[in-house]
Amino acid sequence: MKVELFIRRFNPETDTKSRMVRYEVEVEPTDRLLDALNAIKWYQDGTLTFRKSCAHGICGSDAMLINGVNRLACKVLIKDLGDRITVEPLRGFRVIKDLVVDMEPFFAAYRSVKPYLINDEPAPRTERRQSPEERERFDDTTKCILCAACTTSCPSFWANEDYIGPAAIVNAHRFLFDSRDRGAAERVDILNSKFGVWRCRTIFNCADACPRGIEVTRAIQDVKRFLLNARI
Amino acid sequence: MWAWILHRVTGVGVMIFIVIHILDTWLIGFGPEVYDTVMNIYRHPIFRLGEVALVGALLFHALNGLRVILIDFWPEAGLFQKQRQLFQVVVVLFFILYVPVAGYMIWDIIY
């Protein structure tokens, strides 16, 4: 089938503002949007710029604004998008070129919550044991692939780029609720700050955008309740 | 997202009303004549329609406020599908309560 793609393009060397460019490609309904973008880049216009890597929905490179919602180009099928498709870069970050945005602020927010196991207790002779129930507590938030679809769908983040955003909170949740972790006190300052979880207004755009189906808003709510009851 | 947008719009609307209301109540300090003159302006049909809208804004904001409280304190309500169902409940309750009230108020303006 023939589909029309309207892609928001921006070349920092020649453009002062972005423009919509129309392409026509021949694709199968069961192709993914990424296949259509590749068809353009490989056979029509090699200057079209976008990130991609694994192409199987796990590396988190190709999140973009597709028909007005954040999706992974490698997961969404043409038949679910219709024959007029708009593709734009993620909102809220500086556009470097075409669909490529500057992800550095995103990863800075991610690093700020210390997304790794913190435990100073002497290591036991064997593993740090954990029951299936304890593991289950944070299972949902282990699925994050850091694609930024959630953070860039969040109106609170659009309004204030210093908000650490849903993705950073999801990854804080991953360790806050891990029974082996002792780092809660180190994470509380940033999570409880004015750029932390309290900027969440439970709009639920993040949970809608997550390509991994993480209950992002519920995870943020878990962290809010944790801060409310914390004795640290 | 629509729940949040409506919540914000109705919240700002109610806040604007409260500011106006505080100002008009304050006019009583200038004597009953001034106060009554301003109160008479409110009898204009446009302001009475505004009252109908105000009741709607308050009702939606109150009902959705309860939904937001549930989302804050009941972990289950933080699930995407659950909050969506709760919003549907809010919308249904809103219409059940608002249609008769708004109907009565508009009927009162016309007749």
Side-chain angles (χ1 to χ4, degrees):
Chain A
M1 66 185 280
K2 202 179 259 317
V3 293
E4 277 182 300
L5 272 86
F6 295 87
I7 303 178
R8 188 171 292 286
R9 298 203 55 182
F10 172 73
N11 180 349
E13 289 172 4
T14 55
D15 299 341
T16 48
K17 61 180 184 181
S18 64
R19 64 210 149 86
M20 281 303 223
V21 182
R22 182 177 168 279
Y23 296 93
E24 261 185 35
V25 275
E26 192 63 36
V27 285
E28 297 295 325
T30 49
D31 277 347
R32 304 154 307 164
L33 179 68
L34 181 62
D35 298 313
L37 293 174
N38 280 334
I40 295 169
K41 186 169 177 71
W42 295 340
Y43 302 113
Q44 293 186 27
D45 185 348
T47 65
L48 180 67
T49 306
F50 51 94
R51 284 196 184 101
K52 63 178 192 305
S53 184
C54 81
H56 288 80
I58 200 66
C59 74
S61 304
D62 64 351
M64 46 190 81
L65 189 68
I66 301 163
N67 280 357
V69 287
N70 283 352
R71 295 288 182 263
L72 296 182
C74 60
K75 266 191 108 170
V76 63
L77 301 183
I78 297 292
K79 63 177 176 148
D80 297 324
L81 293 171
D83 49 13
R84 284 170 60 91
I85 305 167
T86 61
V87 185
E88 295 169 79
L90 294 173
R91 287 180 180 145
F93 292 127
R94 184 178 65 86
V95 175
I96 296 172
K97 188 182 180 189
D98 294 344
L99 301 171
V100 175
V101 295
D102 180 8
M103 298 275 281
E104 187 44 40
F106 177 78
F107 290 114
Y110 171 64
R111 286 190 299 267
S112 74
V113 301
K114 305 194 178 183
Y116 39 81
L117 192 86
I118 300 173
N119 190 328
D120 292 339
E121 294 164 8
R125 283 187 51 235
T126 57
E127 314 86 335
R128 296 182 197 274
R129 306 263 325 233
Q130 190 167 51
S131 71
E133 292 74 27
E134 287 169 332
R135 176 63 177 70
E136 180 62 28
R137 183 69 190 86
F138 59 90
D139 187 66
D140 199 34
T141 45
T142 61
K143 297 188 242 161
C144 178
I145 56 173
L146 296 172
C147 67
C150 59
T151 294
T152 56
S153 73
C154 173
S156 294
F157 173 74
W158 298 336
N160 192 322
E161 60 189 17
D162 292 323
Y163 173 36
I164 59 172
I169 300 169
V170 159
N171 286 282
H173 181 284
R174 156 69 184 83
F175 291 98
L176 273 183
F177 292 94
D178 188 328
S179 58
R180 301 162 297 185
D181 188 89
R182 300 288 176 269
E186 295 181 41
R187 298 190 184 95
V188 158
D189 283 346
I190 178 78
L191 291 170
N192 201 27
S193 76
K194 65 175 177 173
F195 301 120
V197 293
W198 308 110
R199 283 202 181 260
C200 167
R201 302 289 194 266
T202 56
I203 301 166
F204 284 93
N205 278 12
C206 53
D208 194 24
C210 181
R212 304 282 293 154
I214 300 172
E215 290 283 356
V216 183
T217 315
R218 188 185 56 173
I220 299 173
Q221 297 296 85
D222 277 346
V223 176
K224 286 180 188 170
R225 282 188 292 267
F226 176 88
L227 293 174
L228 207 57
N229 302 316
R231 310 241 185 287
I232 297 171
Chain B
M1 181 179 71
W2 288 105
W4 167 74
I5 290 175
L6 284 169
H7 199 75
R8 185 57 66 91
V9 168
T10 54
V12 170
V14 169
M15 197 187 72
I16 290 170
F17 161 74
I18 289 171
V19 171
I20 297 170
H21 184 53
I22 289 171
L23 287 176
D24 65 42
T25 313
W26 167 71
L27 290 176
I28 194 77
F30 295 91
E33 293 79 16
V34 182
Y35 183 74
D36 285 346
T37 314
V38 175
M39 284 298 121
N40 272 323
I41 299 172
Y42 289 165
R43 299 220 168 80
H44 190 277
I46 286 180
F47 279 94
R48 309 251 333 242
L49 278 175
E51 254 172 16
V52 179
L54 174 67
V55 169
L58 274 171
L59 186 60
F60 177 83
H61 202 80
L63 290 171
N64 193 56
L66 295 174
R67 169 179 165 273
V68 171
I69 291 170
L70 280 179
I71 291 167
D72 280 341
F73 291 103
W74 179 32
E76 184 98 348
L79 295 172
F80 185 74
Q81 288 306 331
K82 196 67 161 188
Q83 62 86 22
R84 179 169 273 186
Q85 288 166 7
L86 284 170
F87 181 54
Q88 287 159 355
V89 171
V90 164
V91 171
V92 169
L93 279 177
F94 174 82
F95 280 108
I96 289 175
L97 294 168
Y98 187 56
V99 168
V101 173
Y104 177 76
M105 290 176 79
I106 292 170
W107 185 82
D108 201 47
I109 297 170
I110 298 170
Y111 299 104

